[in-house]
Amino acid sequence: MTDLSGKVAVVTGAGRGIGAAVAHRLATDGAAVALLDISEAATKEAVQDIEGAGGRAVGIGCDVSDETAVRDAFDEVADRLGSADILVNNAGILRDNLIFKMSTDDWDQVMAVHLRGTFLCSRTAQRWMVEKKWGRIVNLSSTSALGNRGQVNYSAAKAGIQGFTKALSIELGPFGIRVNAIAPGFIETDMTRATAQRVGVDFDQMKAAAEQTIPLRRAGHPEDIASVASFLVGEDSAYVTGQVIYVAGGPKA
Ligand code: NAP
């Protein structure tokens, strides 16, 4: 069990799915958790779940691609819970399309949320972490970093997050800050449900087809990612930094 008592964790895109599960797990591990999402209202249910289980949580509205909003959100976290010790860059969107149909907006929005958002939140959080000489950053990549049809924008962003993770681990290691990435495969969330809807396939059929190709023969759950995030911010991974851990029921999806 990871012991995060006395630590403050910030999880972005924490209103639902993987982010909500990570926030819940870190709160169970003892951290006070700030759940950031596009609107504060989007975090309400996840905050209530954590409080109902005896944890400490606050919900804050923040678009991670907006520099001012990010600065204000981290200031609010510092006021309400204390400055961030742990950051999980999880907020994400899909704007899938084959390249000949992909708009410039679809490209820019995906880069803005995944890459610019991860950059802005990490740059803001590290100021406090460097002062404390302690910090943990976990970034959400994806098996799509290895390439996926219809996702040149998302694949590029998720591969970029891997490079960002490795470079940042080199910069921040001397300050006691570890930076790692998790690359999930097929995880059952609203994001995968939206993909099924977009391509006009029944979700259960899409999931069953995916499960045939996954060595462990099941789709992942948000808790499968949350437990690895807990490992990466805890002391059992004390000598692990700059790594990408594929959590995909196999070596890749
Ligand atoms: P999800 O269910 O769609 O949740 C993503 C959350 O991020 C939503 O609450 C969303 O808010 C929020 N968000 C979107 N843009 C934001 C922004 N600009 N600022 C703040 N919050 C924002 O997705 P998920 O499946 O849990 O995925 C979480 C992360 O894991 C993402 O980075 C995703 O790329 C990655 N991932 C997921 C899978 C998978 O199979 N599910 C696989 C590999 C990697 P809204 O409700 O407003 O959209």
Side-chain angles (χ1 to χ4, degrees):
M1 178 84 180
T2 305
D3 181 8
L4 300 179
S5 18
K7 301 295 184 199
V8 173
V10 176
V11 183
T12 70
R16 64 181 193 204
I18 292 170
V22 170
H24 202 286
R25 175 57 193 259
L26 300 189
T28 305
D29 291 341
V33 185
L35 290 81
L36 272 49
D37 209 300
I38 277 284
S39 71
E40 186 192 333
T43 67
K44 204 170 165 202
E45 210 180 306
V47 167
Q48 280 171 354
D49 277 355
I50 292 172
E51 289 175 339
R56 189 164 174 220
V58 298
I60 297 173
C62 171
D63 175 350
V64 296
S65 66
D66 178 332
E67 187 168 0
T68 308
V70 168
R71 195 194 53 218
D72 291 350
F74 278 80
D75 283 346
E76 187 177 339
V77 173
D79 286 346
R80 294 174 70 182
L81 298 177
S83 63
D85 301 290
I86 295 164
L87 167 64
V88 180
N89 284 305
N90 166 83
I93 58 166
L94 293 177
R95 295 290 182 271
D96 295 356
N97 229 327
L98 296 174
I99 193 164
F100 77 98
K101 288 191 279 189
M102 186 176 286
S103 71
T104 309
D105 250 12
D106 290 340
W107 174 269
D108 288 344
Q109 281 183 32
V110 166
M111 294 303 148
V113 177
H114 293 274
L115 277 179
R116 183 179 158 90
T118 297
F119 162 68
L120 291 175
C121 291
S122 301
R123 188 181 61 178
T124 306
Q126 60 82 35
R127 291 188 185 126
W128 281 296
M129 294 176 182
V130 166
E131 268 176 32
K132 295 188 239 192
K133 298 248 181 319
W134 197 97
R136 307 282 180 262
I137 298 176
V138 176
N139 300 320
L140 267 291
S141 177
S142 167
T143 49
S144 294
L146 303 170
N148 200 22
R149 190 169 185 272
Q151 291 195 320
V152 290
N153 50 0
Y154 185 77
S155 296
K158 290 308 200 185
I161 282 175
Q162 297 194 8
F164 177 91
T165 299
K166 288 175 186 294
L168 194 61
S169 74
I170 294 167
E171 288 187 25
L172 297 183
F175 300 99
I177 302 165
R178 295 195 284 105
V179 188
N180 289 289
I182 299 173
F186 186 112
I187 311 295
E188 244 188 289
T189 67
D190 288 347
M191 187 177 267
T192 35
R193 285 180 193 282
T195 300
Q197 202 172 22
R198 189 185 65 81
V199 296
V201 178
D202 173 69
F203 177 73
D204 289 332
Q205 278 177 5
M206 182 176 99
K207 185 178 142 195
E211 285 174 340
Q212 289 311 305
T213 69
I214 298 170
L216 290 181
R217 293 290 186 270
R218 70 167 176 87
H221 307 296
E223 293 71 23
D224 292 317
I225 307 305
S227 56
V228 178
S230 170
F231 165 71
L232 286 173
V233 302
E235 289 316 298
D236 283 347
S237 62
Y239 205 50
V240 180
T241 195
Q243 298 304 307
V244 179
I245 302 186
Y246 282 82
V247 184
K252 67 183 185 72

